[in-house]
Amino acid sequence: FPSHDITALVSIVLLAPINRDNLGKDIIAVALYISNYTFAWWQNDYQNLEAQPSPFLHYWSLAVEEQFYLIWPIFILFLARRGINWVKNGVFVIFIASFLLSVIQTQISPIWAFYSLTTRAWQLAAGGLIIFISQDKLKHPGFTWLGLVAITSSTIFFNENTPYPGYQGLLPVLGAFLLIASIGSWPKSLIKVFNNKTAQRLGDISYPLYLWHWPILVLPSVWLGKSLTIFQTVLCLLTTLIFAHLTSKYIEQPFRYKKFSTNFIYKGLIGVTASSVGLGILINLNSSNII
């Protein structure tokens, strides 16, 4: 993806030579979708960024998703051969087991709980449980407002000192669960808020927004050697919006609707992954010689 390569090239210019070996390792980990575990191993997290945060730190969540989506279909297909009740019970078991592990792991080793697939699977499995709930049971605006309150409360009261995910993670997940499950009975006032053009457009470009926001906020701060001012932060956010719009319009949407053969997709995937790994190795090997 362009954001990955552009971030790497800009980082080479802005980061100090002594830190470019970590840059190379980060690129390799991101390309192989294992960055969640490598960041946990290297103790690189949002609460312990010190002076040199990785411009690729936000890719950890994409790694978790990719690992989940590789395993989940196999798991569902295995259960589906035994009937729908097996699927429902299996998803519920994953939800409960992963949640309990998350609670325990958050107390023992918070950083591994934050990054691991096993302690995050319950949040993804929660979405799978929605399909097994009758919409009639949630046809009440009260569920919608309860979900909105849960998410809003998480935004207000959670901070860098909140152990997460653990049992605290249940609040925003429950909120999202209720909002999605009760979408057919949302109050008109809430529908107007989320159906306005601005909200819809932000939803359309949410993926490139996520890809661009972190490096655009981090790299200028690294280059300046200090935290961004309010004006600089706003400028970075506006730049993120522009980059996300251009990425969505000229890359994401054209590729989304263009028909490619399965063979081409596999070859492209292998080629892009290999080139990114090669770039990471090259940066890592030459980090001490780049000036």
Side-chain angles (χ1 to χ4, degrees):
F1 204 83
S3 65
H4 178 272
D5 296 331
I6 293 174
T7 299
L9 295 175
V10 173
S11 298
I12 291 174
V13 176
L14 297 183
L15 296 182
I18 193 173
N19 293 314
R20 291 177 194 157
D21 58 334
N22 292 327
L23 175 65
K25 291 190 295 183
D26 290 350
I27 293 172
I28 294 171
V30 167
L32 297 176
Y33 288 102
I34 57 172
S35 59
N36 55 326
Y37 288 109
T38 54
F39 285 139
W41 183 262
W42 299 328
Q43 297 293 299
N44 197 347
D45 66 81
Y46 294 101
Q47 288 78 38
N48 186 32
L49 295 177
E50 299 178 347
Q52 190 64 71
S54 169
F56 295 99
L57 182 58
H58 62 310
Y59 278 88
W60 75 269
S61 67
L62 300 182
V64 170
E65 289 180 37
E66 187 67 22
Q67 293 158 15
F68 182 83
Y69 294 143
L70 284 173
I71 298 172
W72 193 248
I74 300 173
F75 174 71
I76 296 299
L77 286 173
F78 174 78
L79 294 177
R81 293 179 178 180
R82 291 159 174 77
I84 190 64
N85 285 331
W86 277 76
V87 175
K88 179 171 64 175
N89 294 333
V91 174
F92 185 72
V93 167
I94 291 296
F95 174 83
I96 295 297
S98 176
F99 174 71
L100 293 176
L101 181 62
S102 176
V103 172
I104 296 171
Q105 191 70 37
T106 299
Q107 302 299 319
I108 299 174
S109 180
I111 193 168
W112 283 99
F114 187 89
Y115 284 118
S116 298
L117 170 63
T118 51
T119 52
R120 289 289 192 165
W122 69 275
Q123 295 173 304
L124 294 164
L129 289 174
I130 293 176
I131 195 174
F132 299 109
I133 295 179
S134 172
Q135 294 299 305
D136 294 335
K137 294 182 179 180
L138 294 174
K139 272 191 174 181
H140 193 285
F143 288 111
T144 304
W145 291 116
L146 182 60
L148 189 61
V149 169
I151 293 177
T152 303
S153 299
S154 304
T155 304
I156 296 173
F157 297 111
F158 286 13
N159 55 45
E160 66 274 9
N161 296 317
T162 303
Y164 197 88
Y167 68 87
Q168 291 90 341
L170 191 60
L171 185 60
V173 171
L174 177 63
F177 181 93
L178 291 174
L179 280 174
I180 296 172
S182 66
I183 195 168
S185 58
W186 279 18
K188 291 183 179 180
S189 57
L190 196 61
I191 292 176
K192 288 182 179 180
V193 171
F194 287 99
N195 276 354
N196 69 76
K197 291 183 178 180
T198 300
Q200 291 291 314
R201 184 53 187 161
L202 289 175
D204 290 339
I205 63 173
S206 59
Y207 182 61
L209 268 176
Y210 183 80
L211 293 179
W212 285 115
H213 86 283
W214 184 252
I216 289 178
L217 286 170
V218 167
L219 290 175
S221 178
V222 171
W223 182 59
L224 294 171
K226 62 178 183 179
S227 299
L228 299 178
T229 64
I230 295 178
F231 174 77
Q232 291 168 336
T233 300
V234 171
L235 187 61
C236 287
L237 292 176
L238 290 175
T239 302
T240 301
L241 286 170
I242 294 172
F243 273 56
H245 168 73
L246 294 175
T247 301
S248 176
K249 183 176 182 179
Y250 294 107
I251 298 175
E252 185 179 30
Q253 295 306 320
F255 273 82
R256 179 182 180 183
Y257 294 106
K258 193 168 184 177
K259 295 185 180 298
F260 296 104
S261 67
T262 303
N263 188 45
F264 179 85
I265 293 174
Y266 282 129
K267 288 183 178 179
L269 178 61
I270 294 173
V272 170
T273 301
S275 63
S276 296
V277 171
L279 177 61
I281 293 174
L282 184 63
I283 293 174
N284 199 16
L285 292 176
N286 294 276
S287 59
S288 59
N289 298 320
I290 299 176
I291 57 174

